[in-house]
């Protein structure tokens, strides 16, 4: 049986309830919302990569070193036209489903865990999302410093988010709101993220320091891997709520629901 999740929004009534309360307006399954938020950046990255190879192959592979490369970085791809418009549009569309997911996590988890862990996890999630939006809107061609700093902020908050989310999942495991298998998968994804980020940082340093041919493309490959791992982690977190429904209801009904 599917469980109900709460998105507390004002809504016009469809019919009247038995006790005079307005019925809930069901929106979608939570798993569908999670799928949309994950597929948009994944599809945009794939489209941008294909277009870049077909239209901007040479320019997307160029670096200050002038050495041979075989794969452009994601930052380079989303700086080209029309790739940057595809990426920005997809990220803008994915932003609001992510916000809804964050609100859902908070409202659902605060009923499960009343500690400060619940708002803290979602606050870090919000910071990760905001830094991702900044680096997507301001490309390296627009303003390299802002893009670079936003990228560093995104990696930092994404890493912290994984740490606090895994710890929070441990707390939820003790309350039987997740499974040990799901927790282990989150831990593996988090570990792969840290290894990939560390390796990418090392390769980026070596590329800038020694200009080794092909090394920047290996860094780019790790950049794609980091995106995949990050999306996978978000999907694993969402799997705790795949049997939930998202609906809207008036504030007074929400108060009754929590009473």
């Amino acid at each position: 049986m599917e469980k109900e999740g709460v998105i507390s929004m004002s809504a016009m009534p469809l019919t009247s309830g038995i006790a005079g309360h307005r019925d809930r307006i069901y929106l979608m399954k939570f798993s569908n919302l999670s799928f949309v938020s994950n597929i948009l950046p994944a599809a945009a990255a794939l489209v941008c990569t294909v277009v870049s190879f077909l239209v901007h192959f040479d320019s997307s592979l160029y670096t200050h070193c002038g050495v041979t490369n075989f794969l452009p970085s994601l930052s380079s791809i989303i700086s080209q036209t029309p790739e940057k418009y595809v990426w920005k549009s997809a990220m803008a569309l994915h932003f609001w489903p992510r916000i809804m997911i964050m609100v859902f996590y908070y409202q659902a988890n605060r009923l499960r865990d009343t500690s400060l862990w619940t708002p803290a996890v979602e606050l870090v999630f919000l910071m990760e999302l905001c830094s991702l939006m900044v680096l997507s809107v301001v490309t390296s061609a627009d303003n390299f410093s802002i893009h670079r700093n936003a990228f560093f902020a995104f990696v930092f908050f994404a890493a912290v988010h994984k740490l606090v989310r895994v710890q929070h999942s441990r707390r939820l495991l003790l309350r039987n709101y997740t499974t040990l298998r799901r927790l282990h998968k989150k831990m593996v994804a988090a570990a792969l993220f840290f290894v990939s980020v560390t390796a990418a940082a090392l390769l980026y340093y070596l590329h800038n320091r020694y200009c080794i041919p092909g090394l920047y493309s290996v860094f780019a490959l790790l950049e794609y891997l980091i995106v995949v791992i990050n999306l996978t982690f978000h999907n694993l977190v969402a799997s705790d709520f795949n049997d939930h429904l998202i609906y809207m209801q008036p504030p007074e009904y929400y108060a009754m629901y929590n009473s």
Side-chain angles (χ1 to χ4, degrees), residues 70-104:
F70 58 87
L71 182 67
S73 69
L74 188 57
S75 296
S76 174
I77 287 174
I78 65 174
S79 299
Q80 306 282 349
T81 303
E83 293 94 309
K84 66 179 180 181
Y85 297 115
V86 174
W87 180 255
K88 289 180 180 181
S89 298
M91 297 310 292
L93 290 173
H94 122 291
F95 179 77
W96 293 111
R98 284 287 187 202
I99 290 294
M100 290 182 67
I101 287 173
M102 183 193 68
V103 173
F104 179 90

Side-chain angles (χ1 to χ4, degrees), residues 98-117:
R98 284 287 187 202
I99 290 294
M100 290 182 67
I101 287 173
M102 183 193 68
V103 173
F104 179 90
Y105 284 161
Y106 173 71
Q107 292 185 343
N109 283 329
R110 71 175 180 174
L111 301 176
R112 301 172 168 186
D113 183 5
T114 58
S115 71
L116 291 177
W117 275 102

Side-chain angles (χ1 to χ4, degrees), residues 117 121 156-170 190 194 233:
W117 275 102
V121 171
F156 173 77
F157 285 115
V160 174
H161 177 219
K162 287 166 181 56
L163 289 175
V164 295
R165 184 71 73 178
V166 166
Q167 180 59 34
H168 194 230
S169 292
R170 291 178 185 271
F194 284 107
F233 182 84

Side-chain angles (χ1 to χ4, degrees), residues 6-17:
V6 180
I7 295 293
S8 180
M9 302 177 184
S10 59
M12 294 299 293
L14 293 178
T15 59
S16 297

Side-chain angles (χ1 to χ4, degrees), residues 55-80:
V55 181
H56 303 116
F57 183 75
D58 292 332
S59 60
S60 63
L61 291 176
Y62 175 79
T63 67
H64 72 282
C65 289
V67 295
T68 303
N69 288 295
F70 58 87
L71 182 67
S73 69
L74 188 57
S75 296
S76 174
I77 287 174
I78 65 174
S79 299
Q80 306 282 349

